[in-house]
Amino acid sequence: MQAESGPGGPIDEPDDESGPRDVIRGALLAPQTLVRAIGSGRRRGADAPQYQRVELRYVDLKGVRHLQITEYDERQAHTRNAAAGPPAAESVDGLLAAPYGNWHVETTDETLRLRYTKKGKSLLHRQGESHEQKTEHDRVKRRVLDPAAPFLIELGISDHLGRVKPSRQSKYKQIEEFCKLLAPAVDEALAAGRIPAGRPLHVVDLGCGNAYLTLAAYHLLTAAGHDVRMTGIDRTPVARARNTKRVEALGWQDHLRFVDATIADAELDTPPDVVLALHACDTATDDALARAVGWQAPLVLAAPCCHHDIQKQLKNVEPPAPYGLLTRYGIVRERFADVLTDTLRAAVLRQVGYRVEVVQFVDSEHTPRNLLLRAARTGAPAGPEVRAEYEALAGEWQVKPRLAELVLDLNREAVF
């Protein structure tokens, strides 16, 4: 076992017999002290776990303490409860046997982070911190963003009584669902060491517009205990002035600012840890992804908007047989271009050292533009098959993705 050093307290190394996994097991099976635990990511060289993420905490059900286990796939959460004791131990052993690459565990007196290196070694970091254990069984639907949060009232999404306005339900849902993916992604990046701990968390929202996501992300991450430095990038003077006034009204102006710049030309004093882009139009999403790659941002979340660039290219090419029907009808060509564009974007990001997931972040009833590219920078070089797959797909359809032009050099080698 190896131990990592870090700010905030001494590092305690368990003895060789217990090992880091047993330390985590002991913390998970302590019903009086476990606050919450998150298993996420995938160990290198292993198949992906059945669920993308798992969260554990203890709850009291009819006076009996149970370990509540919530497992998340791409669309929903699956919750089960195991009574403290042998049932909980059996469940924990099963979860620890799953190939999760990171465990983040909070107890009443410390935070533990376990991660597995590329060579399969386990690294355990222990930091003395106080957390409050809450074991109430919350039967009310849990909201990531409280509708009564002051920033939602300031944005006009909620009324003065803290209720989401009927006309803003879709916007509220978009932002909340985006944040549901943001929070665990940040936790995973911190647990894996991709984002350094012990310093402010730098976040940039590219093409922030009316700053709905900017303010929501700042609120969410600050409420989670992060010391956040947030920057919104946009070229619209009216929106920027309005956003600045809102931030000042909320008292956030010391840590949240707006900068007048295009996405392609945005410059920051400090490279960001997290890059966000919500519904940047057409190739503006490519500009945002390219800036994130240039900054070597550890975590990128981008929800693309329209995809006109590839659509236009498809009008002027001879489709590969036997797929001509996919471009014969305008509406079908448009939808196919959406899928092809985001598939190629993911393939480009994989070539430059990112692990990429493409997920649906909100139901289509709230917005038809509901796919999210979630990319975590691993820095690991892509194998030749990754580039071959990309070149075969782009070549068959005779298209040149904007993102590839921005981040891949003339020799088609990845730029790190």
Side-chain angles (χ1 to χ4, degrees):
M1 190 212 90
Q2 301 180 29
E4 291 185 308
S5 61
I11 307 303
D12 296 324
E13 248 184 281
D15 58 44
D16 292 337
E17 292 184 2
S18 61
R21 179 168 146 168
D22 286 345
V23 173
I24 295 297
R25 183 180 188 274
L28 299 181
L29 294 176
Q32 303 303 321
T33 58
L34 178 69
V35 175
R36 70 163 185 160
I38 300 172
S40 60
R42 180 184 65 178
R43 295 184 204 172
R44 187 175 179 84
D47 293 334
Q50 180 181 1
Y51 294 99
Q52 294 180 346
R53 187 173 103 256
V54 60
E55 294 187 15
L56 295 84
R57 71 183 187 105
Y58 281 95
V59 297
D60 293 327
L61 304 175
K62 297 181 179 180
V64 179
R65 188 147 296 186
H66 288 70
L67 180 64
Q68 185 176 87
I69 302 166
T70 306
E71 295 165 307
Y72 297 85
D73 57 25
E74 291 186 0
R75 297 187 58 86
Q76 60 184 336
H78 308 266
T79 300
R80 54 191 171 96
N81 299 301
E90 182 179 353
S91 295
V92 165
D93 288 339
L95 292 171
L96 291 177
Y100 288 111
N102 310 285
W103 280 93
H104 176 95
V105 181
E106 295 175 0
T107 72
T108 52
D109 57 8
E110 68 176 337
T111 297
L112 302 96
R113 297 184 180 92
L114 172 67
R115 68 183 180 91
Y116 292 86
T117 68
K118 297 176 182 178
K119 296 182 179 180
K121 294 183 178 180
S122 56
L123 300 177
L124 179 66
H125 172 257
R126 304 180 74 161
Q127 182 171 337
E129 292 179 333
S130 296
H131 305 97
E132 181 182 359
Q133 186 189 50
K134 297 180 179 180
T135 58
E136 299 86 358
H137 181 53
D138 187 3
R139 294 185 179 272
V140 178
K141 184 175 181 179
R142 297 177 65 188
R143 295 282 192 184
V144 171
L145 298 177
D146 182 357
F151 85 93
L152 288 172
I153 298 174
E154 187 67 32
L155 286 170
I157 291 177
S158 295
D159 61 24
H160 69 284
L161 296 176
R163 301 170 301 191
V164 178
K165 297 176 181 178
S167 61
R168 309 311 301 276
Q169 287 285 348
S170 288
K171 179 58 67 176
Y172 169 79
K173 192 65 175 178
Q174 288 179 45
I175 298 169
E176 184 187 45
E177 295 301 317
F178 195 108
C179 287
K180 282 183 179 179
L181 295 174
L182 171 63
V186 170
D187 287 342
E188 179 188 346
L190 284 164
R194 289 190 290 271
I195 296 177
R199 63 163 177 75
L201 179 69
H202 296 276
V203 184
V204 61
D205 184 4
L206 295 174
C208 64
N210 289 317
Y212 296 129
L213 179 61
T214 319
L215 271 62
Y218 180 83
H219 165 83
L220 176 78
L221 296 173
T222 300
H226 301 293
D227 182 11
V228 181
R229 302 292 184 271
M230 189 96 189
T231 303
I233 304 292
D234 203 90
R235 288 304 308 273
T236 308
V238 174
R240 193 167 57 255
R242 182 171 59 246
N243 294 340
T244 299
K245 288 182 179 179
R246 286 169 171 166
V247 167
E248 291 174 348
L250 293 165
W252 294 351
Q253 65 274 14
D254 289 342
H255 292 162
L256 200 168
R257 65 185 182 123
F258 295 94
V259 174
D260 178 11
T262 64
I263 293 174
D265 297 329
E267 296 292 341
L268 302 175
D269 297 334
T270 303
D273 300 307
V274 183
V275 173
L276 308 176
L278 177 60
H279 293 161
C281 190
D282 197 16
T283 56
T285 292
D286 299 300
D287 292 335
L289 294 172
R291 294 302 289 140
V293 170
W295 285 319
Q296 298 186 357
L299 180 63
V300 187
L301 287 89
C305 189
C306 47
H307 300 73
H308 299 309
D309 184 46
I310 295 293
Q311 286 181 36
K312 293 177 181 177
Q313 294 184 45
L314 289 176
K315 289 182 180 180
N316 302 314
V317 302
E318 184 68 27
Y323 303 110
L325 290 176
L326 288 175
T327 60
R328 175 172 295 179
Y329 309 105
I331 185 62
V332 178
R333 182 175 62 245
E334 178 182 335
R335 293 182 180 178
F336 173 66
D338 290 357
V339 173
L340 182 60
T341 301
D342 290 329
T343 299
L344 291 170
R345 282 169 172 160
V348 170
L349 291 173
R350 290 180 64 201
Q351 292 180 70
V352 293
Y354 282 83
R355 187 186 71 240
V356 186
E357 298 169 288
V358 183
V359 301
Q360 178 177 298
F361 76 96
V362 67
D363 290 337
S364 58
E365 65 181 286
H366 300 292
T367 174
R369 305 299 183 183
N370 61 351
L371 289 188
L372 178 84
L373 296 171
R374 181 170 55 194
R377 188 175 189 277
T378 65
E385 71 282 356
V386 175
R387 190 175 74 179
E389 288 177 345
Y390 162 77
E391 291 181 342
L393 182 59
E396 282 287 319
W397 285 97
Q398 305 169 56
V399 294
K400 297 180 180 179
R402 174 62 175 163
L403 183 60
E405 296 176 353
L406 294 171
V407 303
L408 299 179
D409 68 13
L410 296 178
N411 295 320
R412 315 304 294 168
E413 297 292 339
V415 178
F416 290 88

